[in-house]
Amino acid sequence: MAEAVESPGDPGTASPRPLMRDLKAVGKKFMHVLYPRKSNTLLRDWDLWGPLILCVTLALMLQRGSADSEKDGGPQFAEVFVIVWFGAVTITLNSKLLGGNISFFQSLCVLGYCILPLTVAMLICRLVLLAEPGPVNFMVRLFVVIVMFAWSIVASTAFLADSQPPNRKALAVYPVFLFYFVISWMILTFTPQ
Amino acid sequence: MLQQDSNDDTEDVSLFDAEEETTNRPKKSKIRHPVASFFHLFFRVSAIIVYLLCELLSSSFIACMVTIILLLSCDFWAVKNVTGRLMVGLRWWNHIDEDGKSHWVFESRKASPQENKTVSEAESRIFWLGLIACPVLWVIFAFSALFSFRVKWLAVVIMGVVLQGANLYGYIRCKVGSRKNFTSMATSYLGKQFLRQNTGEDQTS
């Protein structure tokens, strides 16, 4: 999955692909999501490690702790996984069918990395939920989730909208909106028991 | 212990080679990258073991799931970026050019006259054995999870199938690309494997 530009040469050479190089590439992409500007990094050197890390983190945070160890958050964990990956694949197929010139994995990469603001929102919500429940608590969480949702949308459309023909941009962006909306909804309605 | 087994295999292979093969390729039965060989098998086999023994190892479904996901990811990275290159001299990746078109590149190392650059027979066997056996097992697990309605495991099992299947597909295409004739390659490879297994068993028994 990690796909930086390979240096041409004998594939049998002993110098191993440094792990650090891949980790740095992932970190760089996180930065690009946080400060979205027109650049090709997310698109050209795609990798799916970031989305995997974010998905697992989000799924872990979205579990409800329960006293019964038999149903200890298992279904919710798998649910988040399925929603994120199935949703991302569906959006990618949709944009390809609309005639976009972005490749399958590039689109998955962008959508996955742009979950980062929502993961941060989840973290903040969990911290806020440690305080006493009430309308103020809810308003704070609502505000945070809305801001991060908007951030995700802006970041992903900055990368994805260019790949669509001009008259189809709204059609391609609308499922992205829905996708992040569903995730934001899951985050907002989360209550630990 | 895994090292021990593979060393035993190399003993058998070298005897076998001396008797049967008349190619002019020098005997390549040493394992030149023991660490890579170990990790190639370690991550895959651990993921399968954790999946099978999850009920016994830990009462938490989440811990097992996260562990398996971690092992599968490490395995994918290791096999794609390190062990394929070191053990069999193949590599594959995706390249996006200036126009934004994506190309999949499959490369194999050309046979070089240098001693230390040719592929070791034992390593090649370990590599392909691990590469083929594990995705097949994950597919079997997928069907068993589906039919026994343990649907909560389906996400992890599908992930196992996809990640390990991707590596399998990538390396087979590398191999095929270097031979250009898939059918003859497949039949000759399978034929050789069966022959070796049968005569190998005769030797050890």
Side-chain angles (χ1 to χ4, degrees):
Chain A
M1 285 194 259
E3 314 289 0
V5 176
E6 284 264 4
S7 53
D10 189 1
T13 49
S15 62
R17 239 184 108 79
L19 180 58
M20 289 313 298
R21 187 167 154 196
D22 288 343
L23 288 176
K24 278 200 196 128
V26 171
K28 210 161 126 192
K29 290 198 190 62
F30 280 142
M31 285 296 119
H32 275 268
V33 170
L34 290 178
Y35 305 107
R37 73 194 98 91
K38 284 269 173 285
S39 107
N40 265 337
T41 311
L42 230 68
L43 284 182
R44 287 286 302 277
D45 304 326
W46 61 268
D47 73 70
L48 294 177
W49 295 114
L52 183 68
I53 295 171
L54 288 173
C55 190
V56 172
T57 313
L58 200 59
L60 280 175
M61 288 198 283
L62 272 172
Q63 299 178 55
R64 285 170 175 63
S66 89
D68 186 9
S69 77
E70 190 164 295
K71 344 181 244 171
D72 64 332
Q76 284 104 31
F77 190 92
E79 202 177 270
V80 173
F81 241 85
V82 166
I83 288 179
V84 168
W85 289 101
F86 190 68
V89 167
T90 309
I91 296 176
T92 308
L93 285 176
N94 174 67
S95 86
K96 288 206 77 108
L97 287 172
L98 283 174
N101 67 348
I102 193 172
S103 95
F104 182 76
F105 289 106
Q106 281 176 309
S107 173
L108 283 186
C109 170
V110 170
L111 289 167
Y113 270 101
C114 291
I115 297 178
L116 179 65
L118 288 170
T119 310
V120 172
M122 182 74 225
L123 211 72
I124 298 178
C125 282
R126 281 218 87 150
L127 292 173
V128 169
L129 280 168
L130 292 174
E132 58 165 78
V136 176
N137 195 300
F138 179 73
M139 295 308 290
V140 170
R141 284 187 293 130
L142 182 66
F143 176 71
V144 167
V145 169
I146 288 179
V147 166
M148 293 303 181
F149 167 67
W151 200 332
S152 284
I153 298 271
V154 165
S156 59
T157 51
F159 296 112
L160 287 179
D162 279 346
S163 65
Q164 291 292 332
N167 55 338
R168 297 272 174 83
K169 280 204 206 303
L171 272 176
V173 168
Y174 152 74
V176 177
F177 185 90
L178 218 61
F179 175 65
Y180 289 125
F181 181 77
V182 167
I183 298 180
S184 313
W185 184 258
M186 285 198 301
I187 293 174
L188 192 59
T189 57
F190 171 77
T191 48
Q193 268 153 8
Chain B
M1 205 162 93
L2 219 57
Q3 270 325 94
Q4 199 66 33
D5 287 341
S6 36
N7 281 332
D8 287 341
D9 282 349
T10 60
E11 290 304 317
D12 289 341
V13 167
S14 59
L15 282 170
F16 179 73
D17 280 349
E19 279 185 278
E20 290 264 343
E21 298 218 334
T22 52
T23 61
N24 49 9
R25 195 179 60 205
K27 271 186 292 199
K28 290 279 166 295
S29 50
K30 280 191 335 194
I31 294 185
R32 251 178 254 119
H33 306 104
V35 178
S37 311
F38 172 70
F39 278 110
H40 175 77
L41 292 174
F42 172 71
F43 289 130
R44 320 197 127 213
V45 172
S46 318
I48 288 179
I49 289 177
V50 171
Y51 176 75
L52 290 174
L53 299 181
C54 58
E55 257 102 62
L56 300 173
L57 288 176
S58 151
S59 62
S60 160
F61 167 78
I62 300 285
C64 284
M65 192 156 168
V66 172
T67 310
I68 296 176
I69 289 174
L70 215 67
L71 287 169
L72 286 173
S73 314
C74 290
D75 162 71
F76 183 87
W77 188 89
V79 172
K80 184 174 178 302
N81 291 313
V82 180
T83 67
R85 202 165 32 89
L86 291 179
M87 289 168 82
V88 288
L90 301 171
R91 67 178 178 179
W92 60 282
W93 74 93
N94 178 262
H95 176 62
I96 306 210
D97 64 15
E98 299 299 325
D99 303 326
K101 296 192 73 60
S102 115
H103 304 276
W104 289 95
V105 185
F106 303 93
E107 280 186 357
S108 80
R109 180 176 56 205
K110 302 181 202 0
S112 95
Q114 286 175 284
E115 174 65 35
N116 59 352
K117 292 274 174 92
T118 46
V119 174
S120 147
E121 191 67 36
E123 283 193 340
S124 174
R125 283 181 67 178
I126 294 174
F127 180 80
W128 289 106
L129 186 71
L131 198 69
I132 294 176
C134 293
V136 167
L137 281 174
W138 283 108
V139 170
I140 294 175
F141 293 154
F143 281 116
S144 97
L146 203 59
F147 292 133
S148 66
F149 299 110
R150 294 167 72 206
V151 183
K152 66 179 182 175
W153 285 109
L154 216 53
V156 167
V157 175
I158 288 179
M159 187 172 164
V161 169
V162 166
L163 288 181
Q164 304 208 336
N167 258 328
L168 179 64
Y169 176 73
Y171 280 116
I172 287 184
R173 277 203 61 176
C174 288
K175 194 85 185 165
V176 166
S178 67
R179 293 260 220 130
K180 295 273 189 285
N181 191 342
F182 184 64
T183 330
S184 74
M185 176 238 147
T187 46
S188 76
Y189 180 78
L190 284 173
K192 265 194 229 164
Q193 278 301 102
F194 279 124
L195 190 61
R196 281 199 184 146
Q197 272 177 2
N198 290 336
T199 39
E201 276 165 12
D202 289 344
Q203 299 242 330
T204 51
S205 62

